Every structure is written in structure tokens, then in C-alpha cells.
Amino acid sequence: MKVLFLLFIILLLEINCKLPFFNLQPRNKRLSQEPNITYVYGHLNPDTDSICSALVLADYLNRTGSTNLVIPCRLGELNKETKFALKMFNVTEPKLITDPSEADEVILVDHNEPAQSLNFKNAKIVGLIDHHAISGFYTKDPINIITKPLGSTCTILYQLYKSNGIEITHEIAGLIISAIISDTLLLRSAITTIEDNYTIGNLSEKYDIQFMNYGRELLSAGSDVSDLTEEQIINLDSKAYEVNGYKIQIAFLNSVDVDSLLKERKSKLLEEINKFTEKNKKQLFALVIVDIFQFDSTVLAGGEYINAVEKAFNVTLVENQAFLKGITSRKKEVYPKLAGIFYSLPEYDNDEDNENISINIRTNWILIYLMMFLFI
């Protein structure tokens, strides 16, 4: 009897392996598969708000029941300021990626300008959370978009946590505070809003974070460029824009001693700026060096349209340098003023692109004539 029972069990197992009908697998295949992947990332040459926003949003989505596995990512190396913040709050840096198509979906934070990101054509973008103006951004399908004119993307994310009743951990609070301090220069930049002040005040009180002292340490850590080359400096916090056909690059650098920096490194910085504009076919490169204690700036300009800086800020460039009184914000002050100048100019005609098109046309006709000759 026992032998018959054993043979019956073996027969069932054999049938189960060969016939799918008897296979005891979940009817929904997704239940037995790995979850879909969502990448969250900010712009190229990431700053503190860009990195912290990716980390904070990934935490929020993973804790609010996302069916996908949400992974925070970065599109470049961390600067010293961001490293200081992550070390202070014991947070692991996001994953470095170069291809957004590796993920099933992508959510953008802290940027929407195509020139500041990986190729949008390779990414299935399903969401955007940003505090910048929408510029050249479009998608094939409708997506979730949250944009607000606040000092930091992380301020928007704080509001998401609060409106949905999600508890903020000490680590996430530290990241949000760090991002706001960075983007608003410790709440003193022109982009600072009531919401930014409220967010920092609320979180610092709840989690006993002395944000004024911490903020000075954070900004000072980011201003140390003594071990960086001039090429690294101009790419440290650099954003690309295309305005009316003109290609411009605006880089920002915080400093505690602007005069010493310029005295020691100005000539080499201008040399690298000129190399960059020539290599990348930019019409203007503006390096804005912000005095984080005096809250003024000095600009170094390169490219064939440096007079746009003079017109935008009503200054005179002396050896490609000018002082910008009270200017500290790229988003609210520098970019809008420069963009206004370029929009007032005739649309830029890229002769090189036209020449390439002409060459391609001539090449195609030569091939056609050759084919006709061979077959006739």
C-alpha cells in the first residue's frame, strides 16, 4: 500500500512538471517577478538640492506603497558640500547612472531642461517635481507634474510628506534642511520664500538641528576648491541652456574669499572657460562667484557674446570680469536677465549645422549619380 501511495505521489509530481495546468504558480505572473524599477534623479553636475531631492523623493515613494522599487540616482560626482551633508546625516549617496533606459520609469527632480539631463528620448518619464521654470520640456504621454516657485525642490517634498501624513525621519529632515540652506544661501538668497523659512524652522526645532551653525559649516565646506583644477571648478555647479538658438552655460561657485581666488586663479579659469566654449560651441559662458558672507558676486565671462553680461546687469567687463552687486541666484536673477537679452536678439543661425546639412545633401547626390552610372 505504501509503495502504491509513493508511486501516486511521484506520478503527480511528474505531471505537475510537464503540464502547466497543474503548475502551482501564481496566476498573476507579476507576483513572481522582480518589481519594476523607477529611477529618480536631478540634473547633471548635481548640487545639494538635486541629490537630496532624489534621496527624499525615493524615500517618500517607497514608504507610500509604490508598486515599483524606487532608486535614487545621480548624474555626476558629488561636490564637497553635498558630501558634507550626507556624512553629517549618515546617508548613502545615490547610484551613479549614465543610461536612464535601464529603468522602467523615470521621475525628474530639480530640473526639466533637456540640456541639463540625460537624453530624454531614452527615458520613460512619468513624473517631474521642480522649482524652476519649464523650459523645452515635453513628453509623449501625460505625466504627474508638481512645480512651485520655492527656494528648493526639497521644500516641495516636505509639503508632500506633511499633506499625506508621512512621518519624516531625522535623516530625511537633515537632507531637506541641507538642500534649502544650499539653494537659498542660508535663507538669504532672492529665491527664499516663506515656505522655505517655515520648513527649516519646523524641522530644525523638531529634530534639534542648529541650522544656522550647521548652514555656515555646510556652505564653507562647499567653498573649498583648493584641491580642484580650474576645469573641475567651472564644471562643479554648471548648467546648460538654449535660448533663442543661443547656447549658454552658467556656472556658480561659492567662496569665502573671492579676491584671493581671483588673484591666484583668474587667468587659468578664463583659459578653461574659453576652451569649454570653443569645444562645446557655446555663445556665452558665465562663471558667477558668490561671496557667501557679503552676498554679492563677481562674474567671469567667455565666448563671443560676453557683451550680453554687460547689457543684462548694466556693468562693464574689465578683462572679462565684473562685480554684480547683490546678485546671488542663478534661477531668479542671472538666468532670467541673460535670457532676456538673448531673446531680444535675432534667432541664432548655426552656420556649422547648415554647412553639415549641405555636405550631407551633396554626398547623397553623389551617391545617387554613382548608382545611376553603375546600373545604366
Side-chain angles (χ1 to χ4, degrees), residues 216-241:
R216 293 190 188 96
E217 294 177 357
L218 179 69
L219 295 176
S220 295
S223 69
D224 179 15
V225 294
S226 58
D227 61 337
L228 300 182
T229 66
E230 284 74 18
E231 181 183 8
Q232 289 173 321
I233 290 174
I234 69 170
N235 285 287
L236 192 62
D237 183 8
S238 187
K239 292 186 177 181
Y241 303 89

Side-chain angles (χ1 to χ4, degrees), residues 154-210:
C154 272
T155 304
I156 303 174
L157 298 178
Y158 169 81
Q159 295 174 351
L160 278 181
Y161 277 88
K162 297 299 290 183
S163 62
N164 289 283
I166 306 300
E167 183 67 22
I168 296 175
T169 65
H170 182 269
E171 292 78 15
I172 295 299
L175 294 179
I176 293 174
I177 289 174
S178 300
I180 298 173
I181 288 172
S182 176
D183 265 19
T184 67
L185 288 179
L186 201 49
L187 302 176
R188 293 185 63 179
S189 171
I191 65 172
T192 309
T193 67
I194 294 174
E195 289 92 335
D196 300 309
N197 277 281
Y198 172 81
T199 301
I200 277 192
N202 185 287
L203 290 176
S204 60
E205 181 179 355
K206 182 175 181 179
Y207 294 96
D208 193 26
I209 299 173
Q210 304 299 314

Side-chain angles (χ1 to χ4, degrees), residues 93-372:
E93 65 184 43
K95 174 184 178 180
L96 177 64
I97 62 167
T98 56
D99 183 4
S101 65
E102 295 172 351
D104 299 285
E105 296 178 345
V106 165
I107 300 176
L108 304 177
V109 293
D110 197 36
H111 77 298
N112 63 82
E113 176 80 36
Q116 298 172 11
S117 195
L118 298 178
N119 193 336
F120 285 174
K121 293 180 181 179
N122 296 334
K124 183 183 178 183
I125 301 173
V126 298
L128 166 68
I129 300 180
D130 195 8
H131 68 134
H132 298 93
I134 303 296
S135 179
F137 177 77
Y138 65 91
T139 59
K140 294 179 181 178
D141 303 308
I143 66 171
N144 293 307
I145 297 180
I146 304 176
T147 62
K148 293 185 178 182
L150 303 180
S152 165
T153 304
C154 272
T155 304
I156 303 174
L157 298 178
Y158 169 81
Q159 295 174 351
L160 278 181
Y161 277 88
K162 297 299 290 183
S163 62
N164 289 283
I166 306 300
E167 183 67 22
I168 296 175
T169 65
H170 182 269
E171 292 78 15
I172 295 299
L175 294 179
I176 293 174
I177 289 174
S178 300
I180 298 173
I181 288 172
S182 176
D183 265 19
T184 67
L185 288 179
L186 201 49
L187 302 176
R188 293 185 63 179
S189 171
I191 65 172
T192 309
T193 67
I194 294 174
E195 289 92 335
D196 300 309
N197 277 281
Y198 172 81
T199 301
I200 277 192
N202 185 287
L203 290 176
S204 60
E205 181 179 355
K206 182 175 181 179
Y207 294 96
D208 193 26
I209 299 173
Q210 304 299 314
F211 77 89
M212 288 300 293
N213 293 333
Y214 168 65
R216 293 190 188 96
E217 294 177 357
L218 179 69
L219 295 176
S220 295
S223 69
D224 179 15
V225 294
S226 58
D227 61 337
L228 300 182
T229 66
E230 284 74 18
E231 181 183 8
Q232 289 173 321
I233 290 174
I234 69 170
N235 285 287
L236 192 62
D237 183 8
S238 187
K239 292 186 177 181
Y241 303 89
E242 186 165 337
V243 184
N244 201 22
Y246 298 85
K247 295 180 180 180
I248 63 177
Q249 195 83 12
I250 304 175
F252 260 58
L253 175 68
N254 292 339
S255 178
V256 296
D257 191 351
V258 178
D259 292 338
S260 296
L261 176 67
L262 290 173
K263 182 178 179 180
E264 297 171 4
R265 312 187 73 166
K266 175 183 173 180
S267 61
K268 290 186 177 181
L269 285 170
L270 285 173
E271 182 180 335
E272 288 299 328
I273 286 172
N274 291 329
K275 286 181 182 178
F276 186 96
T277 55
E278 182 177 352
K279 178 182 178 181
N280 297 283
K281 299 177 177 59
K282 302 286 183 176
Q283 280 68 60
L284 174 67
F285 190 114
L287 172 62
V288 181
I289 306 173
V290 180
D291 188 320
I292 61 176
F293 294 139
Q294 299 300 320
F295 292 91
D296 297 312
S297 296
T298 298
V299 61
L300 296 181
E304 57 183 313
Y305 282 82
I306 60 173
N307 61 328
V309 174
E310 296 182 319
K311 293 179 180 179
F313 300 100
N314 193 26
V315 296
T316 300
L317 289 167
V318 178
E319 297 180 346
N320 297 78
Q321 175 182 330
F323 178 71
L324 305 181
K325 178 68 177 177
I327 299 295
T328 60
S329 171
R330 172 171 42 205
K331 180 170 77 80
K332 194 168 184 177
E333 297 170 320
V334 177
Y335 170 71
K337 288 180 179 292
L338 288 175
I341 298 299
F342 284 106
Y343 276 124
S344 69
L345 300 175
E347 185 175 356
Y348 189 75
D349 182 19
N350 195 317
D351 294 332
E352 182 173 333
D353 287 345
N354 292 336
E355 183 180 345
N356 290 336
I357 292 172
S358 299
I359 291 172
N360 290 335
I361 292 174
R362 289 196 297 270
T363 303
N364 289 338
W365 275 112
I366 291 171
L367 290 173
I368 290 171
Y369 288 136
L370 181 61
M371 294 291 290
M372 290 173 64

